[in-house]
Amino acid sequence: MTSLATRAIVNLLYKSPFNPKSSDGPDDAVRDLVEGPRALGPGRALDLGCGHGRHALYLARHGWDVTGVDLVRDAVDTARDRVAAAGATARLVQGDVTELDDLAVPGGQDLIIDAGCFHGLPARMRDRYVPGVTSRAKPGALLLMLALAQHPVLKGVREDEIRARFQGWEVVSAQSLAGREMLRYGTGSKLLRTAFEKGWFDPWRYLLRRKQGA
């Protein structure tokens, strides 16, 4: 179970000026997977750290069976309101992404999105995150992850750790998002914008594929 200290820190970060205010639309990489030249057909999707639901809503609008999970109740409430207002359907759960069994999150996922969740977890929670996510992914499923390599508060994660932890997955691509490109996915305080412009957080996007038979 998530400690009270961890819950308090996550809630403070969510409401702080250093938390990016996400755009309403999906990241380009998500849009490419859903609408690009090699688009996936609609299936089952899991949005980890779903925030106010921009990816969950986008996927639901494109025919996906979506489950979103976030620890912050305010974020989940906002996501539910947005999905309802759009006349869409998505299952949005307030809870810990490392406790998917307790949250009854279904398996057979075709696409898993983590747009800034894993990189903030302490090591003990990462130990639970990986098997929980892996057990819910179909063979051949994709995991799209946006992660910062460094942060003044969060733990951060680098490619070598991604490869070491996700043994049942193939790293299809690892792309640096340093510089102004990060500003396309949200806004925030002046200091945060400067940090993104200068690439201080060393942001990366990873695309992983669940190995067959692993």
Side-chain angles (χ1 to χ4, degrees):
M1 180 178 293
T2 311
S3 69
L4 291 176
T6 298
R7 289 178 181 272
I9 290 171
V10 170
N11 277 277
L12 285 172
L13 286 172
Y14 179 77
K15 296 177 180 179
S16 80
F18 299 104
N19 183 41
K21 303 300 185 289
S22 298
S23 64
D24 288 333
D27 291 353
D28 291 348
V30 176
R31 191 186 300 276
D32 186 61
L33 289 175
V34 174
E35 300 183 72
R38 298 181 180 180
L40 303 173
R44 183 170 284 179
L46 177 58
D47 186 4
L48 298 169
C50 64
H52 67 221
R54 64 195 179 103
H55 287 132
L57 176 55
Y58 170 76
L59 289 164
R61 281 173 163 167
H62 284 80
W64 288 73
D65 179 359
V66 186
T67 299
V69 180
D70 202 288
L71 191 61
V72 179
R73 185 174 298 278
D74 287 351
V76 175
D77 287 345
T78 299
R80 287 172 178 161
D81 289 344
R82 294 185 69 216
V83 168
T89 301
R91 180 171 181 256
L92 298 161
V93 182
Q94 190 266 326
D96 186 337
V97 298
T98 71
E99 298 173 356
L100 300 181
D101 287 339
D102 293 342
L103 300 176
V105 172
Q109 301 291 334
D110 300 283
L111 175 62
I112 300 171
I113 296 173
D114 179 333
C117 182
F118 182 78
H119 67 211
L121 300 177
R124 60 180 174 77
M125 294 180 72
R126 295 181 186 193
D127 292 340
R128 300 197 303 268
Y129 175 107
V130 176
V133 168
T134 301
S135 67
R136 278 158 179 79
K138 284 183 179 179
L142 296 178
L143 166 59
L144 185 67
M145 179 182 292
L146 176 64
L148 305 180
Q150 56 190 17
H151 194 278
V153 178
L154 304 177
K155 180 176 173 60
V157 64
R158 297 184 181 276
E159 184 178 349
D160 57 351
E161 182 180 352
I162 295 290
R163 292 183 179 276
R165 284 188 177 275
F166 288 85
Q167 291 291 314
W169 299 75
E170 168 197 4
V171 178
V172 177
S173 62
Q175 176 189 9
S176 171
L177 298 181
R180 290 179 174 271
E181 182 170 356
M182 277 297 294
L183 294 175
R184 296 170 61 189
Y185 306 120
T187 60
S189 67
K190 183 177 180 180
L191 178 60
L192 187 64
R193 290 181 62 84
T194 299
F196 279 143
E197 288 173 353
K198 295 182 178 296
W200 289 350
F201 298 145
D202 194 12
W204 286 75
R205 178 178 288 116
Y206 301 98
L207 180 64
L208 291 79
R209 179 181 289 114
R210 179 80 163 92
K211 294 179 180 178
Q212 300 286 340

